[in-house]
Amino acid sequence: MNILITEPKDYSKKALDIYKKLGRVYLCLPREASAKWGVKLSSQERLADILVIGLKYQIDKKFLDQTPNLKIIASPATGMNHIDLNEVKNRGIKIISLRGKKSFLRNVPSTAEETFAFILALLRKLPWAFDSVKNSSWDRIEWRGHQLMNKTIGLLGFGRLGKIVARYAKAFNMKVIACDPNVSERFMKSRGVEKVSMEDLFKKSDIVSLHVLLTDTTQNLIKEKHLKLMKSSAYLINTARAELIEKNALYNALKNKWISGAGIDVMWDERSDGSHLKKDSLWNYAKNNKNLIILPHVGGATYEAMEVTQDFIAESVFKYLKNKKSA
Ligand code: GLV
């Protein structure tokens, strides 16, 4: 077996040792995938039977055409929009990912923690206050912010991350409301959370935070009409996937001041060479305004989360192959 690790920087030693038991491990050299050509693999890399990926490269037809032996894609993520699922299915390639691995993921709170980093940074205007200090200014009143106590946070999605964010919100004495068709009112109540309709979530929240998986049914779930329902003092946080929100709706909401600000860790059509930024009006908006924070999809990018997820995925690949052999 040839195992190709596409983003090997600081890779978990334990995970590498597991892969080494399965065959020859190749580490991709760091490179930028161009938006046009994708990533060009070397002749050795093209021999991969197992591809261990991150979120950096689009695993699309162009990529898969280069790896004719591929049998397994190992992806330490829950999201799948960087993988062309139809191509993968047609080629009979197995995907091993974090999707649905609930009990493991309960102990990976990085993205929920990032949600609060966004909330606090936005409501206390931290990036812009710090910029002003770097410009030798020392003005408390200019940078007055908002406290969280008694504010309402609305969670769209009450799965693994929504539940963790709710717990953190309670510690700040916030009111928590949530909308999730798959979770009962009774269960939410047991967590001190009020179940509301999607409309009420947008209407009543001071902060709306998205914790929904991107699927065919959730793509474009949030439209301009939802953002128009929000209080003009409210903020939107998106650490999930950009495509949950209709293209341009967030830009229009910010530009027209329907909302006070936003924090996003995800963008439409993310590319590792950053080529998506110039195409997105939000990027220019963020450079010229003091109410939008954009981060480069770092929700799960902590040393701790990356190490345990790399180990978990390596163990899952190992178990899958062992079971297959004994079947
Ligand atoms: C991170 O973005 C993930 O999908 O797990």
Side-chain angles (χ1 to χ4, degrees):
M1 286 267 175
N2 292 311
I3 300 127
L4 178 62
I5 305 200
T6 62
E7 293 173 51
K9 189 170 187 313
D10 298 332
Y11 218 79
S12 152
K13 188 172 170 323
K14 183 173 162 193
L16 286 177
D17 285 344
I18 295 173
Y19 290 125
K20 280 179 194 157
K21 282 193 216 155
L22 295 172
R24 272 217 278 231
V25 177
Y26 296 96
L27 307 180
C28 255
L29 293 173
R31 68 187 69 168
E32 289 312 326
S34 91
K36 197 157 171 207
W37 301 114
V39 58
K40 281 222 164 70
L41 299 179
S42 69
S43 52
Q44 204 172 49
E45 290 167 348
R46 287 167 189 246
L47 300 175
D49 300 287
I50 302 175
L51 189 63
V52 183
I53 60 173
L55 290 175
K56 180 166 173 171
Y57 301 124
Q58 293 296 313
I59 309 302
D60 52 12
K61 182 171 184 315
K62 271 184 284 191
F63 194 111
L64 295 168
D65 279 346
Q66 302 177 76
T67 53
N69 302 340
L70 199 61
K71 295 164 192 72
I72 297 176
I73 294 175
S75 174
T78 53
M80 298 272 194
N81 60 325
H82 55 310
I83 305 174
D84 184 332
L85 297 176
N86 277 333
E87 278 294 326
V88 165
K89 198 170 160 210
N90 290 341
R91 293 166 194 244
I93 297 168
K94 164 87 182 162
I95 296 181
I96 294 177
S97 80
L98 295 180
R99 173 93 36 118
K101 303 291 184 242
K102 281 191 186 157
S103 54
F104 165 72
L105 287 170
R106 219 165 274 143
N107 293 317
V108 187
S110 290
T111 303
E113 292 178 6
E114 186 204 30
T115 302
F116 265 87
F118 267 128
I119 293 172
L120 290 166
L122 277 170
L123 270 72
R124 303 306 293 265
K125 306 179 182 163
L126 300 188
W128 308 288
F130 186 32
D131 280 347
S132 81
V133 171
K134 284 185 270 181
N135 285 325
S136 312
S137 153
W138 195 258
D139 188 337
R140 298 179 71 224
I141 302 302
E142 164 102 14
W143 301 111
R144 250 179 315 183
H146 294 280
Q147 60 183 27
L148 292 181
M149 188 168 75
N150 298 331
K151 296 280 188 302
T152 297
I153 184 166
L155 307 172
L156 190 66
F158 199 64
R160 162 185 80 98
L161 286 165
K163 284 181 204 133
I164 303 175
V165 172
R167 239 177 38 227
Y168 298 165
K170 292 274 169 189
F172 282 98
N173 284 323
M174 299 177 81
K175 177 173 174 166
V176 186
I177 61 179
C179 168
D180 190 327
N182 303 315
V183 182
S184 71
E185 186 169 356
R186 198 161 147 212
F187 180 83
M188 286 194 194
K189 214 168 163 191
S190 74
R191 301 285 175 111
V193 174
E194 184 190 341
K195 180 164 172 150
V196 295
S197 66
M198 187 157 154
E199 202 167 277
D200 275 351
L201 186 102
F202 281 92
K203 258 191 213 158
K204 291 182 175 169
S205 300
D206 297 300
I207 297 152
V208 171
S209 188
L210 311 185
H211 301 286
V212 179
L213 273 177
L214 178 66
T215 62
D216 288 345
T217 28
T218 60
Q219 176 144 9
N220 293 327
L221 179 66
I222 299 155
K223 310 189 189 315
E224 282 197 355
K225 67 172 185 195
H226 296 111
L227 303 183
K228 275 185 183 155
L229 289 174
M230 287 175 74
K231 300 178 190 175
S232 58
S233 57
Y235 295 83
L236 182 89
I237 311 293
N238 189 1
T239 56
R241 284 297 183 273
E243 293 83 355
L244 294 169
I245 310 176
E246 229 172 34
K247 194 140 197 182
N248 294 324
L250 180 57
Y251 172 71
N252 287 335
L254 289 164
K255 190 182 69 174
N256 297 316
K257 300 194 169 23
W258 302 336
I259 64 174
S260 257
I264 59 173
D265 190 36
V266 285
M267 294 185 86
W268 274 74
D269 202 20
E270 290 171 19
R271 299 288 150 164
S272 62
D273 62 358
S275 54
H276 59 287
L277 293 171
K278 290 193 184 75
K279 292 185 213 150
D280 197 321
S281 35
L282 286 171
W283 184 58
N284 257 321
Y285 180 92
K287 289 198 286 182
N288 296 313
N289 292 277
K290 295 186 173 66
N291 62 348
L292 171 63
I293 301 175
I294 305 179
L295 296 179
H297 206 140
V298 292
T302 61
Y303 289 98
E304 296 82 0
M306 290 186 104
E307 183 172 357
V308 294
T309 55
Q310 286 164 3
D311 293 352
F312 181 82
I313 288 293
E315 280 160 5
S316 306
V317 170
F318 190 84
K319 275 188 213 148
Y320 170 77
L321 288 171
K322 208 169 126 196
N323 289 341
K324 214 169 159 218
K325 222 170 161 183
S326 58

